[in-house]
Amino acid sequence: MEIYFNIRYEMDKAAVHKAIAEQIQLQKPGYICVADGVILNIANRNADYLKVVNGSMFSICDSSYVPLYIKWIYGKRYRQYCGSQIFMDIIRMKKYRMFFMGTSQRTLQALQENLVKIDGRIAGMTFYELPFRTVDQFDYADIAAKVRADGADIIWVALGAPKQEIFMSKLKPYLDRGVMIAVGAAFKFYSGLDEKRAPAWMIKIHLEFAYRIASDPKKQLKRCWGIATSLPTLLYREWRKKKSATKHTNQQ
């Protein structure tokens, strides 16, 4: 794990899955954040939210731009590992018992129907619609009781950032075991009913944000504006951090 732009990232895909397996084997609860540009922006504007994000086991890099920034500043090569990818990677493993929570019952039902085609065991797993309320209004003890009764290894949470990260941090103390992973729009992508991910060619040339803007301009333009206005400061601070580290190394 390394810290970039104040976030504790795990950039190695194999290390991500190894850490998940080890946490489950240890029978301890934990959560993983899927850090895109929205999380990067909010976390660097809100100290309490940054504590929530860095209170996780680690964050995986959902942004295709963060690896570019790291390459420009540090010369290191990393790759994006987005929420929809880790979600489907784990589904295809057919290894864990899972608990799915968030979004509407309609989306959850369609999601289950599609996932069962990949792993028939999913027909017997729990798909739980969370009530619409603020993060402080959830009955975390009751939700945790449902998760414990289910015996899930992986708990998928789809509430959207920053709500889902705060939700996981509040639910964790009530859990005995299981790894929570916040996957944002992945439920909608794979339900086949709602949002769809950008075409592969747009993802490859870092234009997924443009597809999202076209799909939901009111929501996405506001998010993109927040990211754009915070980015110059973040890049400058990271460059200064690298320069200071280089100077310190040269003086030793």
Side-chain angles (χ1 to χ4, degrees):
M1 277 174 283
E2 295 187 66
I3 297 176
Y4 296 110
F5 305 103
N6 297 316
I7 291 180
R8 291 174 58 251
Y9 285 108
E10 178 53 77
M11 297 290 194
D12 186 298
K13 194 173 179 179
V16 168
H17 289 280
K18 181 181 178 183
I20 291 171
E22 289 176 347
Q23 190 78 3
I24 292 170
Q25 187 175 19
L26 287 170
Q27 298 281 301
K28 292 184 178 181
Y31 65 95
I32 295 171
C33 297
V34 178
D36 61 1
V38 174
I39 290 179
L40 181 66
N41 171 45
I42 299 174
N44 279 282
R45 292 176 184 266
N46 185 316
D48 290 335
Y49 183 60
L50 180 61
K51 288 179 182 178
V52 167
V53 172
N54 284 340
S56 64
M57 293 166 58
F58 49 77
S59 292
I60 64 171
C61 184
D62 189 272
S63 168
S64 66
Y65 283 93
V66 166
L68 291 179
Y69 304 149
I70 294 172
K71 181 183 175 184
W72 294 342
I73 296 171
Y74 295 97
K76 297 180 180 180
R77 293 180 178 272
Y78 295 117
R79 296 187 68 179
Q80 175 191 26
Y81 192 25
C82 67
S84 59
Q85 289 175 319
I86 191 173
F87 180 75
M88 192 49 64
D89 284 348
I90 290 178
I91 294 295
R92 287 175 175 149
M93 285 180 183
K94 301 180 182 180
K95 179 179 179 180
Y96 301 114
R97 179 165 182 83
M98 295 168 286
F99 191 103
F100 304 76
M101 70 169 91
T103 71
S104 68
Q105 193 59 49
R106 173 176 172 268
T107 299
L108 290 170
Q109 183 175 344
L111 175 66
Q112 185 177 33
E113 290 172 359
N114 286 338
L115 296 183
V116 165
K117 297 172 186 176
I118 301 171
D119 181 0
R121 300 177 311 127
I122 292 175
M125 296 183 189
T126 303
F127 287 71
Y128 178 58
E129 179 184 13
L130 289 168
F132 183 74
R133 54 189 56 174
T134 68
V135 286
D136 293 322
Q137 294 174 328
F138 285 109
D139 186 340
Y140 290 100
D142 181 66
I143 295 169
K146 288 180 172 63
V147 175
R148 287 197 303 271
D150 183 88
D153 301 308
I154 303 286
I155 303 106
W156 298 108
V157 180
L159 289 172
K163 189 174 183 179
Q164 60 194 10
E165 290 76 33
I166 300 171
F167 175 90
M168 293 191 299
S169 72
K170 288 181 175 291
L171 182 59
K172 180 188 171 185
Y174 293 91
L175 295 176
D176 297 324
R177 60 181 297 277
V179 176
M180 294 175 281
I181 308 176
V183 287
F187 285 15
K188 294 181 179 180
F189 290 158
Y190 294 115
S191 72
L193 296 179
D194 301 291
E195 297 178 33
K196 291 182 173 58
R197 199 175 177 203
W201 69 268
M202 294 189 79
I203 296 171
K204 186 176 181 180
I205 60 174
H206 309 287
L207 284 178
E208 186 170 9
F209 76 93
Y211 181 87
R212 292 193 175 188
I213 290 173
S215 301
D216 189 352
K218 185 176 180 181
K219 175 182 176 181
Q220 297 300 332
L221 280 172
K222 182 178 179 180
R223 287 184 165 187
C224 287
W225 175 252
I227 294 168
T229 54
S230 65
L231 185 58
T233 300
L234 289 176
L235 290 173
Y236 176 71
R237 287 176 179 171
E238 199 68 20
W239 175 79
R240 291 278 299 178
K241 178 180 136 183
K242 185 243 183 176
K243 186 176 180 181
S244 176
T246 301
K247 181 179 180 180
H248 178 72
T249 300
N250 291 338
Q251 288 175 343
Q252 288 182 334

